[in-house]
Amino acid sequence: MPHAPAGTGPRRRTLLAAAALAPLAAAGCTEQDGTRANGPQAPPKDALIMVIRHAEHPYAGATGEDAEGNEDPGFLAGRGWRRAAELPRLFPPGRRGSLPRPAAVFAAGGKAHAAPAHSRQTVEALAKALGTPVRSEFAIGAETALAHSVLAAPAPVLVCWERAGIPRLVRALGAHQVRGVPAAWPDRHDLVWTFTRTRGVWSFRELPQHLLPGDA
């Protein structure tokens, strides 16, 4: 009767199987279900994030106005200042409005302040009414870092941002594949996008501001 080659047989097969399972055991998984041995991870915390575009800025060939009425391209246009002044009406005290009062307010900024301060100008009156500071440490292009801070901030959160950067923010939040979310912000200043995360699942609504004559 031929002998089995050295290193084969039941014992070797047992050793090979144990070696194959070692990475799974190190990762806290079982072969049967591939799940963590210490149970499923908890879903991320609930969140409510409201996103607006900055108020109207000067168009090409026009200039904005500073607080003294002097022309300056780094400031909002006249209609933009009127929208900024009316913005607190979107978030009345109590439960009288369709939108909750923000607990934290973010606006585009950054240390370099290379871009015009339209976003900060838009929410300054609102932040004063709310008694909360405007967080403007993030520049356009830093939407991933912004998203981390927004999700860590107390809810509800309001973010005032530049049009081109809003889709990047939505993607960084992980809400870009939610049904109904547009691929780009439309050429409008009178909208509010709300993203609500409940038990790890995002939902989306688009609401009109209806603050100024001519708002859709």
Side-chain angles (χ1 to χ4, degrees), residues 2-101:
H3 295 285
T8 62
R11 185 171 184 275
R12 177 172 174 80
R13 288 195 295 269
T14 300
L15 292 174
L16 289 175
L21 289 175
L24 290 175
C29 301
T30 64
E31 184 183 23
Q32 286 81 4
D33 56 15
T35 58
R36 293 281 179 181
N38 58 356
Q41 293 183 346
K45 73 172 187 176
D46 292 350
L48 174 54
I49 301 165
M50 298 168 285
V51 181
I52 62 174
R53 182 187 179 188
H54 62 71
E56 287 84 346
H57 60 293
Y59 292 99
T63 58
E65 301 175 0
D66 64 15
E68 286 73 39
N70 300 313
E71 294 186 349
D72 191 318
F75 287 82
L76 296 172
R79 182 176 175 86
W81 282 118
R82 292 192 294 274
R83 183 175 303 282
E86 295 292 330
L87 198 59
R89 290 200 297 113
L90 273 182
F91 310 99
R95 299 180 177 273
R96 292 178 294 165
S98 58
L99 292 169
R101 285 168 72 82

Side-chain angles (χ1 to χ4, degrees), residues 149-209:
S149 290
V150 164
L151 291 172
V157 176
L158 176 71
V159 180
C160 183
W161 212 247
E162 299 279 344
R163 177 186 180 189
I166 291 177
R168 294 194 296 268
L169 171 60
V170 175
R171 179 174 292 274
L173 291 171
H176 57 290
Q177 293 183 332
V178 176
R179 178 179 298 180
V181 177
W185 187 277
D187 189 16
R188 294 173 59 177
H189 300 267
D190 60 342
L191 296 174
V192 182
W193 284 5
T194 64
F195 298 90
T196 305
R197 187 171 68 184
T198 306
R199 293 188 293 276
V201 178
W202 286 104
S203 60
F204 168 77
R205 287 196 307 160
E206 179 180 277
L207 300 173
Q209 293 184 7

